[in-house]
Amino acid sequence: MENTDLSPITGVFRDHAKANHAVEELKRAGFGEDQIQSAVVSLLSAPEEQTPENTRIIVTVKADGKDKQAFGILFSNGANNADLPSGMVLRDGKIAESQAETVDLIPEPTLEANFSKDSYFGEVKGSGHSDEPILGDTH
């Protein structure tokens, strides 16, 4: 079965040395200069000094059927695509958009009818029984 998806394989790096080593290893594995692209991306909109905290190095490889090999080289050299700050999106080998963080992804819990906000267990009342707890066995 032939791979018809020509999407590039992309790795996100914090460390320039690791990104450079990945590029060199890709070249040794037979990927050409025209297949490898590397760019430093600033995560800040204001022009500030580039530091590892506010920049990432994006290495993109046109793998042409050698996807697993390219992926393995990128990630064995420290690529971590989860290393983008929340709200940042990696699309087609580039940080394409920044989405505002959602306020709360966890829904508010709802209380069932027989529970109150102060109770752990719901009230269970059977007919003919007192509300007093039974202490010990009565038999």
Side-chain angles (χ1 to χ4, degrees):
M1 178 178 231
E2 188 175 321
N3 183 3
T4 59
D5 182 15
L6 298 178
S7 299
I9 305 299
T10 303
V12 179
F13 295 84
R14 278 186 181 233
D15 186 305
H16 286 272
K18 289 181 179 180
N20 290 338
H21 189 267
V23 168
E24 291 306 315
E25 198 171 322
L26 286 164
K27 289 177 184 176
R28 282 193 302 272
F31 292 95
E33 296 264 348
D34 60 329
Q35 293 177 284
I36 305 167
Q37 191 174 32
S38 179
V40 177
V41 179
S42 177
L43 302 176
L44 302 175
S45 57
E48 295 185 18
E49 182 181 333
Q50 291 184 354
T51 65
E53 291 78 31
N54 65 18
T55 60
R56 299 295 183 271
I57 301 90
I58 309 292
V59 177
T60 304
V61 184
K62 292 179 186 172
D64 295 335
K66 298 191 296 184
D67 299 5
K68 289 180 183 179
Q69 185 180 15
F71 181 84
I73 291 170
L74 291 173
F75 287 91
S76 68
N77 281 285
N80 181 357
N81 289 8
D83 198 22
L84 292 173
S86 63
M88 296 281 180
V89 176
L90 186 64
R91 186 175 295 140
D92 296 324
K94 298 177 182 153
I95 297 178
E97 61 185 65
S98 176
Q99 301 171 345
E101 289 187 46
T102 56
V103 176
D104 190 6
L105 297 177
I106 302 172
E108 284 290 320
T110 56
L111 298 176
E112 292 185 23
N114 60 344
F115 285 88
S116 72
K117 66 180 179 96
D118 299 319
S119 71
Y120 182 74
F121 298 102
E123 293 182 32
V124 178
K125 293 184 182 179
S127 61
H129 294 289
S130 122
D131 286 342
E132 295 295 318
I134 299 173
L135 302 174
D137 190 5
T138 58
H139 293 265

